[in-house]
Amino acid sequence: MSFKNLLVYRFEEPIKESLETVEEKLSEKPLTACLTQELESIGWLPVFKEGKQYVEKINNALFFRLGIEQKILPNSAVKTAVEKKIEEKELKHVSRSEMKELHEIVTNELLPNALVNRNSIMAYIDLEKNWLVVDASSTKKASVLTSHLRKTLGSLPIVPFVPENSVNAALTHWALHGIQSDVLSLLDEIELKELKDEGGNAKFKGVALDSKEVQDPLKDGWQVTKVMLEYDEQMSFSMSGDFIFKRLKFLERFEESLETENDPILQIQAELYLAIDLYRRVIQNVYDLTNSAK
């Protein structure tokens, strides 16, 4: 159950709700199946599929999971059904309002038999760092969770946790001059953009960052837009200007630190316990280094 992404918010004031209060509030708004005429249903799920708790406290962090059920109704299917309606009714000229009404009628007819897709978004409140961390690769996806969490708790005083310095400028500085860090290093996967109207883009994978192919554009003023990094031989991840840690992957050194448990829930808890410490160090380290980049 390790996270694939880390999108971080900072609480403007320490969260006051206790574990029991958060658990109670989330359990009062569980995910329910989409009703016949509903396109979507959103609610909370137990953190672990095998468990019953809506909140799990692990290493001073409160984990929870938002569930989302959506009816699959392709636009092409709706369009085809609308066209058939028009043919059946032998309509010659369809006004905008009539077309809108037809779309609504067709949608209501198709909804009861539409397939349902269920997804979930994991997140945790880090009580030690005063962060909300969401497993989302975009702020749009994260906002689905934060919006529902705000409604559930009554308030959610958070702001994006992002460096004061430009992330892209810091990444560019590191690619040109190296990172002044004992634990963070750049990997051979990078994307560049030319800073001018209709400027070019370049992607390199498996090409040394100190090679001529990469360095020449950088010296000509191109900027790094995305790069892969490695932290302390334990985790690799992608970083771009939005300061979202993406494509997280635990490396051998971290995997070796895990102990095997017979109980699947205990196994997940043990992994998350160690992962939280690693996430804290990675997020804070990259944040501080970005702010110190010149």
Side-chain angles (χ1 to χ4, degrees):
M1 190 180 272
S2 57
F3 282 36
K4 300 299 182 186
N5 313 277
L6 301 173
L7 194 158
V8 191
Y9 298 93
R10 174 180 59 83
F11 281 93
E12 294 184 286
E13 54 189 59
I15 187 167
K16 298 175 182 177
E17 285 86 351
S18 64
L19 167 63
E20 292 74 22
T21 301
V22 177
E23 167 75 29
E24 181 182 354
K25 289 184 175 181
L26 267 62
S27 64
E28 289 174 352
K29 296 183 181 296
L31 176 66
T32 56
C34 278
L35 299 177
T36 305
Q37 295 304 123
E38 276 187 332
L39 265 171
E40 183 180 74
S41 178
I42 299 177
W44 302 104
L45 291 168
V47 180
F48 305 135
K49 294 178 181 178
E50 302 85 353
K52 297 180 179 180
Q53 296 297 115
Y54 284 82
V55 181
E56 294 277 353
K57 187 174 183 180
I58 302 170
N59 198 355
N60 212 20
L62 306 181
F63 284 85
F64 47 94
R65 186 159 64 106
L66 182 70
I68 305 164
E69 275 201 0
Q70 293 175 314
K71 295 277 183 72
I72 303 172
L73 209 58
N75 290 332
S76 58
V78 176
K79 182 181 178 182
T80 299
V82 168
E83 289 171 351
K84 287 183 178 180
K85 285 280 185 190
I86 293 173
E87 291 174 4
E88 290 169 4
K89 295 177 180 289
E90 297 182 348
L91 300 175
K92 301 298 181 183
H93 302 287
V94 183
S95 67
R96 182 175 294 181
S97 60
E98 288 174 325
M99 184 64 78
K100 182 179 179 182
E101 185 179 348
L102 283 172
H103 268 84
E104 290 176 355
I105 292 171
V106 165
T107 299
N108 289 332
E109 290 176 351
L110 294 176
L111 273 176
N113 297 314
L115 295 174
V116 178
N117 187 34
R118 175 179 283 197
N119 291 304
S120 65
I121 305 173
M122 283 287 293
Y124 66 87
I125 294 171
D126 192 326
L127 300 174
E128 181 178 309
K129 303 293 287 187
N130 213 34
W131 292 338
L132 168 64
V133 182
V134 186
D135 187 356
S137 59
S138 69
T139 53
K140 182 179 180 180
K141 182 177 180 180
S143 68
V144 176
L145 182 137
T146 57
S147 175
H148 203 72
L149 184 61
R150 184 175 288 108
K151 292 176 184 176
T152 303
L153 298 180
S155 67
L156 192 66
I158 56 172
V159 293
F161 183 70
V162 294
E164 295 177 8
N165 283 353
S166 162
V167 178
N168 284 338
L171 298 179
T172 303
H173 179 82
W174 296 343
L176 275 167
H177 308 289
I179 305 179
Q180 301 303 309
S181 171
D182 294 330
V183 289
L184 198 66
S185 58
L186 294 168
L187 299 179
D188 294 343
E189 186 173 339
I190 194 168
E191 295 184 16
L192 312 177
K193 181 177 178 60
E194 192 175 12
L195 297 183
K196 65 180 184 181
D197 292 341
E198 299 181 3
N201 295 279
K203 297 182 180 181
F204 299 95
K205 187 173 182 180
V207 178
L209 299 194
D210 60 358
S211 67
K212 184 178 177 64
E213 295 97 314
V214 176
Q215 289 297 312
D216 281 355
L218 289 173
K219 291 173 182 176
D220 285 339
W222 288 45
Q223 189 173 69
V224 176
T225 55
K226 184 185 295 185
V227 72
M228 287 294 295
L229 297 108
E230 181 181 298
Y231 181 85
D232 200 24
E233 299 179 349
Q234 296 189 66
M235 188 174 79
S236 63
F237 58 93
S238 169
M239 175 57 61
S240 53
D242 53 16
F243 200 68
I244 302 174
F245 298 73
K246 302 175 186 177
R247 295 170 58 191
L248 304 187
K249 181 183 179 181
F250 290 135
L251 304 179
E252 187 175 348
R253 184 178 174 188
F254 179 85
E255 300 284 1
E256 288 174 349
S257 66
L258 294 174
E259 294 183 7
T260 304
E261 302 284 351
N262 293 325
D263 187 313
I265 291 182
L266 289 177
Q267 182 68 46
I268 295 170
Q269 289 174 330
E271 179 179 313
L272 288 176
Y273 189 95
L274 294 178
I276 281 292
D277 275 337
L278 181 58
Y279 295 158
R280 284 172 181 148
R281 295 196 303 273
V282 171
I283 294 167
Q284 193 65 60
N285 194 271
V286 177
Y287 177 89
D288 292 342
L289 281 169
T290 301
N291 274 334
S292 64
K294 298 180 180 179

